[in-house]
Amino acid sequence: MRRRTILSFLACSPTLVGAQASFVQTPYKNPRALFDIYLDHPAKLGAALYWLRSFMNPLTEAPYSLFNDDMSVIVVLHGTELVTLAKKNESKYEEVVQRMRYYAQQGVKFKVCGLALQDFGYTRNDLQDFVEVTPSAMTELVHWQNQGYGLITPVVTDKRLSIEDIR
C-alpha cells in the first residue's frame, strides 16, 4: 500500500508535469569516422550521404566549429553505388557526385574497393579524380578500425510512410 501511495505521489508531482528532455552538449574533439557504404541500388547513395552530412554539419558549426584538420573522415564504397563514381556516369548521378566532391574538398577521403571495381569492369582511370582505390573494402575497414576509427554503416531503406503519417 505504501509503495502504491509513493508511486501515485510521484506520478502527480508538479515537477514531473511538463517535464521535457534535456539537451547534452557532448565535448567532441578530433573525431575519426569510417563510413562503410554498401548499397543494393546506386539511387540510395544520396540518402546514405545524409549520414555523412549528419556527422559533418554539427561538428563544423558552432559551438564546435571544427576544421578539416581537427577531424578525419573516410568513406569506403563497395556496392552498386560505386557506379556513381565512374566518369561516364557523372551526368546521370550529378547531384551525388557534386556532394561527394564537396566533402572531398572538406578533407573527406573517398575510397573504393578494388575487388568491386574489377567486378563492375572499371579501372582507376574510369573514376572521378577525388577517389582512391584500395585493394579490398574488407581489409580497408579493418585497417582503419584498428587505427581507432569509429565505424558508421548507413542503413538506407525504402521509405513507406511519411513522418506526418506516423507522428
Side-chain angles (χ1 to χ4, degrees), residues 24-156:
V24 178
Q25 194 71 54
T26 306
Y28 305 122
K29 292 183 182 174
N30 304 99
R32 296 188 299 177
L34 175 64
F35 287 80
D36 173 14
I37 299 182
Y38 182 82
L39 304 171
D40 64 352
H41 196 288
K44 292 183 177 181
L45 183 57
L49 290 176
Y50 281 115
W51 287 59
L52 179 59
R53 181 196 71 171
S54 296
F55 178 80
M56 298 285 293
N57 285 5
L59 296 173
T60 57
E61 297 169 357
Y64 303 109
S65 302
L66 297 177
F67 294 98
N68 303 340
D69 296 341
D70 297 327
M71 62 181 133
S72 181
V73 180
I74 299 169
V75 177
V76 177
L77 302 105
H78 55 112
T80 62
E81 70 284 347
L82 72 81
V83 302
T84 65
L85 294 166
K87 292 175 193 171
K88 73 175 191 169
N89 294 332
E90 185 167 2
S91 62
K92 184 175 184 178
Y93 301 108
E94 184 176 5
E95 181 187 336
V96 293
V97 171
Q98 287 176 356
R99 288 171 62 194
M100 287 186 284
R101 188 176 305 282
Y102 166 80
Y103 285 118
Q105 291 168 349
Q106 302 304 309
V108 174
K109 300 255 187 260
F110 286 89
K111 298 175 181 272
V112 168
C113 174
L115 297 173
L117 193 67
Q118 290 174 358
D119 291 345
F120 280 86
Y122 295 131
T123 68
R124 290 184 313 214
N125 293 333
D126 295 320
L127 300 181
Q128 299 290 335
D129 61 355
F130 60 86
V131 175
E132 298 175 0
V133 177
T134 67
S136 163
M138 298 301 109
T139 55
E140 198 71 14
L141 291 167
V142 169
H143 169 75
W144 292 108
Q145 287 178 81
N146 287 340
Q147 304 304 312
Y149 281 67
L151 181 65
I152 300 171
T153 305
V155 176
V156 181

